[in-house]
Coordinates of all heavy atoms in Angstrom, one line a residue:
M57 N 6.2 19.9 1.6 CA 6.1 21.4 1.6 C 6.7 22.0 0.4 O 7.9 21.7 0.0 CB 6.6 22.1 2.8 CG 6.3 23.6 2.7 SD 6.5 24.4 4.3 CE 5.8 26.0 3.9
S58 N 6.0 22.8 -0.4 CA 6.6 23.5 -1.6 C 7.5 24.5 -1.1 O 7.5 24.9 0.1 CB 5.4 24.1 -2.5 OG 4.6 25.0 -1.5
D59 N 8.5 24.9 -2.0 CA 9.5 25.9 -1.7 C 9.6 26.9 -2.8 O 10.3 26.7 -3.7 CB 10.8 25.1 -1.4 CG 11.9 26.1 -1.0 OD1 11.7 27.4 -0.9 OD2 13.1 25.6 -0.8
S72 N 5.2 32.2 1.7 CA 6.2 32.3 2.9 C 7.4 31.5 2.7 O 7.5 30.6 1.8 CB 5.5 32.0 4.2 OG 4.9 30.7 4.1
Y73 N 8.4 31.8 3.5 CA 9.7 31.1 3.4 C 9.6 29.6 4.0 O 9.3 29.5 5.1 CB 10.8 31.9 4.1 CG 12.2 31.2 3.9 CD1 12.7 31.1 2.7 CD2 12.9 31.0 5.1 CE1 14.0 30.5 2.6 CE2 14.3 30.5 5.0 CZ 14.8 30.2 3.8 OH 16.0 29.7 3.7
A74 N 9.8 28.6 3.0 CA 9.4 27.3 3.4 C 10.3 26.8 4.6 O 9.8 26.1 5.5 CB 9.6 26.3 2.2
W75 N 11.5 27.2 4.7 CA 12.4 26.7 5.7 C 12.2 27.1 7.1 O 12.3 26.4 8.0 CB 13.8 26.9 5.3 CG 14.2 26.1 4.1 CD1 14.1 26.5 2.8 CD2 14.7 24.8 4.1 NE1 14.4 25.5 1.9 CE2 14.8 24.5 2.7 CE3 15.0 23.9 5.0 CZ2 15.3 23.2 2.2 CZ3 15.5 22.6 4.6 CH2 15.6 22.3 3.2
S76 N 11.7 28.4 7.2 CA 11.2 28.9 8.5 C 10.0 28.0 9.0 O 9.8 27.7 10.1 CB 10.9 30.3 8.5 OG 12.0 31.1 8.2
V77 N 9.1 27.8 8.0 CA 7.8 27.2 8.4 C 8.1 25.7 8.7 O 7.5 25.1 9.7 CB 6.9 27.3 7.2 CG1 5.6 26.3 7.4 CG2 6.3 28.6 6.9
L78 N 9.0 25.1 8.0 CA 9.4 23.7 8.2 C 10.0 23.5 9.7 O 9.7 22.5 10.4 CB 10.4 23.1 7.3 CG 9.9 22.8 5.9 CD1 11.0 22.6 4.9 CD2 9.1 21.5 6.0
G79 N 10.8 24.4 10.1 CA 11.3 24.4 11.4 C 10.2 24.5 12.6 O 10.2 23.7 13.5
A80 N 9.2 25.4 12.3 CA 8.1 25.5 13.1 C 7.2 24.2 13.1 O 6.9 23.7 14.2 CB 7.1 26.6 12.8
T92 N 10.7 18.5 1.6 CA 10.4 19.6 0.7 C 10.0 18.9 -0.7 O 10.5 17.9 -1.1 CB 11.7 20.4 0.4 OG1 12.9 19.6 0.2 CG2 12.0 21.2 1.6
T95 N 12.9 21.7 -3.4 CA 13.8 22.8 -3.3 C 14.8 22.8 -4.5 O 15.3 21.7 -4.9 CB 14.6 22.7 -2.0 OG1 13.8 22.9 -0.9 CG2 15.8 23.7 -2.0
Y101 N 19.3 29.5 -4.0 CA 20.2 28.9 -2.9 C 21.5 28.4 -3.4 O 21.4 27.6 -4.4 CB 19.5 27.9 -2.2 CG 18.1 28.2 -1.7 CD1 17.1 27.2 -1.9 CD2 17.7 29.3 -0.9 CE1 15.8 27.4 -1.5 CE2 16.4 29.5 -0.5 CZ 15.5 28.5 -0.7 OH 14.2 28.7 -0.3
V106 N 22.0 24.9 1.0 CA 20.8 24.0 1.1 C 21.3 22.8 1.9 O 20.5 22.2 2.7 CB 20.5 23.4 -0.4 CG1 19.6 22.3 -0.4 CG2 19.9 24.6 -1.2
Q108 N 23.3 22.7 4.4 CA 23.2 23.1 5.8 C 21.8 23.2 6.4 O 21.5 22.7 7.4 CB 24.0 24.4 6.0 CG 24.0 24.9 7.5 CD 24.4 26.3 7.7 OE1 24.3 27.2 6.9 NE2 25.2 26.5 8.8
K109 N 20.9 23.7 5.5 CA 19.4 23.8 5.9 C 18.9 22.5 6.1 O 18.2 22.2 7.2 CB 18.7 24.6 4.9 CG 19.0 26.0 4.8 CD 18.1 26.9 4.0 CE 18.1 26.5 2.5 NZ 17.3 27.5 1.7
A110 N 19.1 21.5 5.3 CA 18.6 20.2 5.3 C 19.1 19.4 6.5 O 18.5 18.7 7.1 CB 18.9 19.5 4.0
A111 N 20.4 19.6 6.7 CA 21.0 18.9 7.8 C 20.5 19.5 9.2 O 20.1 18.6 10.1 CB 22.5 19.1 7.9
M113 N 17.4 20.7 9.5 CA 16.1 20.2 9.6 C 16.2 18.7 10.1 O 15.3 18.3 10.8 CB 15.4 20.3 8.2 CG 14.6 21.5 8.1 SD 13.3 21.8 9.4 CE 12.3 20.3 9.1
F121 N 13.2 14.1 8.3 CA 13.2 15.0 7.2 C 13.8 14.4 6.0 O 14.9 13.8 6.0 CB 13.9 16.3 7.4 CG 14.0 17.3 6.3 CD1 12.8 18.0 5.9 CD2 15.2 17.6 5.7 CE1 12.9 18.8 4.8 CE2 15.2 18.5 4.6 CZ 14.0 19.1 4.2
L123 N 15.0 15.6 2.0 CA 15.3 16.8 1.1 C 14.8 16.4 -0.3 O 15.5 15.6 -1.0 CB 16.7 17.2 1.2 CG 17.3 18.2 0.3 CD1 16.5 19.5 0.6 CD2 18.8 18.3 0.3
G124 N 13.8 17.0 -0.8 CA 13.4 16.8 -2.1 C 14.0 18.0 -3.0 O 13.9 19.2 -2.6

Side-chain angles (χ1 to χ4, degrees):
M57 184 163 187
S58 54
D59 184 356
S72 53
Y73 183 55
W75 293 89
S76 298
V77 177
L78 280 166
T92 49
T95 289
Y101 309 134
V106 173
Q108 184 188 31
K109 293 192 290 189
M113 268 302 301
F121 180 68
L123 175 62

